[in-house]
């Protein structure tokens, strides 16, 4: 079935994939650079969903992380061969605690910065 814009409904449900169902060259280059500059990097493959194509999350020893699309199953092999980072399936293993701790710490830091900015604005308004 086609809609007004000439695209089938089925095609609207699928996320845009990388060429050849594998990782894009620029994404692989980014992951190589990112993992080479950090220690203790592990990768966690995230499954394809209706909204997103398959992706990988790299997490370093401190919990800092980055995410890139890898297209499809062929991308898993390409990422491993291109970076040498051990890969796990996030659905099976979950994400490491150090990543969750880092996300929470970063959230707290952002909230504190917002509070400081609000206080500074209030003090400036009081001085006027």
């Amino acid at each position: 079935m086609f809609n007004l814009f000439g695209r089938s409904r089925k095609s609207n449900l699928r996320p845009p994939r990388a060429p050849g169902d594998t990782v894009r060259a620029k994404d692989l280059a980014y992951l190589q650079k990112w993992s080479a500059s950090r220690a203790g990097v592990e990768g966690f493959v995230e499954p394809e969903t209706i909204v997103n194509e398959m992706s990988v999350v790299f997490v370093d020893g401190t919990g800092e992380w980055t995410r890139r699309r890898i297209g499809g199953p062929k991308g898993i092999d390409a990422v491993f061969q291109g970076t040498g980072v051990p890969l796990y399936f996030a659905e099976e293993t979950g994400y490491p605690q150090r990543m969750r701790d880092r996300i929470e710490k970063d959230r707290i830091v952002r909230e504190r910065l917002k509070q400081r900015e609000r206080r500074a604005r209030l003090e400036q308004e009081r001085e006027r």
Side-chain angles (χ1 to χ4, degrees), residues 1-12:
M1 176 173 243
F2 289 91
N3 65 18
L4 290 174
F5 301 105
R7 299 174 89 190
S8 71
R9 282 189 178 165
K10 187 174 180 181
S11 69
N12 290 338

Side-chain angles (χ1 to χ4, degrees), residues 26-44:
K26 67 179 182 177
D27 290 333
L28 182 58
Y30 173 82
L31 292 170
Q32 289 169 331
K33 183 177 177 182
W34 195 89
S35 62
S37 66
R38 291 165 172 78
V41 177
E42 295 176 311
F44 297 87

Side-chain angles (χ1 to χ4, degrees), residues 73-84:
K74 292 178 186 176
I76 298 170
D77 292 333
V79 168
F80 177 72
Q81 290 171 359
T83 64

